[in-house]
Amino acid sequence: MKKTYVITGSTSGIGHALLKAFVNDNTVFAGYRNEKYASVLEKTGAIPFYIDMERKDTVAQAAAFIKSKTDKIDTLINVAGCVVAGVMEKIPVDSVRKQFEVNTFSHLDFTQRLLTLLNDGKVINISSMSSFGIFPFVAPYCASKRALDILFNAMSVESGLKVVSVKPGVIATPLWDKSVELNKDAIKNCSGYDKEMKYMVANARKNGKEGLNVNKVVDLIVKIDSMQNPKPSYTVGYDAKVAEIVSKLPQSLINTLIKQGIKTKISSVK
Ligand SMILES: NC(=O)c1ccc[n+]([C@@H]2O[C@H](COP(=O)([O-])OP(=O)(O)OC[C@H]3O[C@@H](n4cnc5c(N)ncnc54)[C@H](OP(=O)(O)O)[C@@H]3O)[C@@H](O)[C@H]2O)c1
């Protein structure tokens, strides 16, 4: 049966791979923030809609556009996201606000606006293993994903809406190179943490090439989408499973393990 999907962040990485998985047999509303992608999305057979997660007016307009075209959504997949990184002593608080706007608040706003169309539908959020909250130097990202999970889980408990949090580990997508570009000022403004930042940049470059194939996430989401009663949360990848286990240890032990891990990693940075 033909279903209706709404996917934000459908121009790249996980979102674009999801779009390709669903578009042939279904109606897919595909979100973009850069005009150059509108025609690319249209050519796939999707219905493109403009949304910039940093701008509330466009979130409202995007929801209104979708409501004008359909009265039912089977699955809303909140994918759009970015990584704000840096040292917590120095990071501008406005960068942290931006992180929450893009990864958390906009998704809540967009979902609330579409709730009337989601009666028997599902919301699948692309969270992250960072939601387990154990990684330094990307604390804004971790916090935004944890907050996303908490807010949507409560919505599910309160309302009965089916909400699933998918928490991938490292996936090979353009996100990593984009994160180096997005955080270039924070990386520059890191005196006292130069080695840590050099390691983070090298690691991001490596993750973008050597992470898990994006189809692992797509396969899981296709499976979750077909389930009548999916679990509230799924991890993808060995690293995500390890992060989940580590997050259940006492905080003092987590901190010791992470500090030791960072020390080992940066010992080889020149
Ligand atoms: N890659 C990983 O290792 C990994 C792991 C765990 C979780 N995730 C999560 O998976 C989701 C997808 O990431 P990805 O790896 O597929 O990265 P990606 O290739 O960079 O895709 C991110 C998507 O979000 C869009 N986007 C970013 N900021 C936006 C904004 N302000 N407004 C509207 N759209 C915006 C991007 O648009 P543009 O094409 O215009 O940039 C792109 O379509 C993110 O939520 C990310 O946090 C990724």
Side-chain angles (χ1 to χ4, degrees):
M1 196 186 61
K2 200 170 169 176
K3 291 168 75 173
T4 300
Y5 294 83
V6 175
I7 307 174
T8 59
S10 70
T11 51
S12 172
I14 295 170
H16 196 65
L18 283 168
L19 160 70
K20 288 201 283 191
F22 289 123
V23 80
N24 287 340
D25 305 319
N26 303 288
T27 301
V28 178
F29 290 90
Y32 66 90
R33 65 165 164 172
N34 185 329
E35 291 291 345
K36 74 177 179 189
Y37 290 117
S39 58
V40 178
L41 295 176
E42 202 155 23
K43 275 185 200 140
T44 67
I47 304 169
F49 65 95
Y50 176 74
I51 187 166
D52 182 339
M53 313 314 278
E54 281 187 73
R55 289 185 41 209
K56 286 181 220 160
D57 56 332
T58 74
V59 173
Q61 282 155 14
F65 170 77
I66 292 164
K67 281 176 160 172
S68 74
K69 300 274 175 200
T70 181
D71 54 10
K72 182 174 174 282
I73 297 170
D74 292 283
T75 308
L76 164 62
I77 315 183
N78 291 313
V79 185
C82 66
V83 178
V84 172
V87 175
M88 290 317 295
E89 285 166 58
K90 298 167 190 282
I91 194 163
V93 176
D94 277 344
S95 301
V96 183
R97 283 200 183 94
K98 171 198 164 91
Q99 177 73 99
F100 273 78
E101 202 58 61
V102 174
N103 284 12
T104 315
F105 302 145
S106 58
H107 294 298
L108 182 60
D109 187 6
F110 190 50
T111 304
Q112 284 178 346
R113 291 174 185 278
L114 295 176
L115 280 177
T116 51
L117 277 61
L118 273 160
N119 269 336
D120 304 314
K122 277 190 197 83
V123 176
I124 301 178
N125 285 336
I126 310 301
S127 177
S128 165
M129 70 168 169
S130 68
S131 149
F132 295 118
I134 60 173
F135 304 112
F137 305 115
V138 282
Y141 182 64
C142 295
S144 71
K145 292 293 190 180
R146 172 68 73 87
L148 179 80
D149 285 346
I150 293 171
L151 297 172
F152 275 81
N153 190 62
M155 191 197 289
S156 166
V157 170
E158 291 159 5
S159 69
L161 178 71
K162 282 180 197 154
V163 177
V164 181
S165 163
V166 173
K167 300 179 177 68
V170 171
I171 310 297
T173 72
L175 181 82
W176 296 98
D177 281 343
K178 287 182 203 171
S179 74
V180 174
E181 177 59 25
L182 183 67
N183 294 292
K184 58 179 190 291
D185 290 340
I187 293 163
K188 250 189 261 159
N189 178 28
C190 69
S191 56
Y193 295 93
D194 303 74
K195 283 193 167 190
E196 285 84 349
M197 286 299 121
K198 267 192 187 168
Y199 166 72
M200 293 296 286
V201 170
N203 195 47
R205 300 279 190 219
K206 182 168 162 258
N207 288 345
K209 291 188 190 75
E210 297 178 11
L212 209 60
N213 188 286
V214 74
N215 290 325
K216 294 277 180 202
V217 185
V218 172
D219 291 347
L220 175 65
I221 290 174
V222 168
K223 202 164 140 196
I224 291 169
D225 184 54
S226 70
M227 290 178 188
Q228 195 53 35
N229 289 305
K231 293 189 293 179
S233 172
Y234 293 82
T235 54
V236 191
Y238 178 73
D239 49 355
K241 291 185 193 343
V242 172
E244 180 168 22
I245 293 165
V246 170
S247 73
K248 296 190 191 316
L249 298 172
Q251 191 69 53
S252 57
L253 183 52
I254 297 173
N255 292 356
T256 304
L257 290 172
I258 296 291
K259 280 184 195 167
Q260 191 52 49
I262 296 280
K263 209 168 152 189
T264 309
K265 301 273 189 202
I266 65 167
S267 63
S268 58
V269 174
K270 302 225 170 38

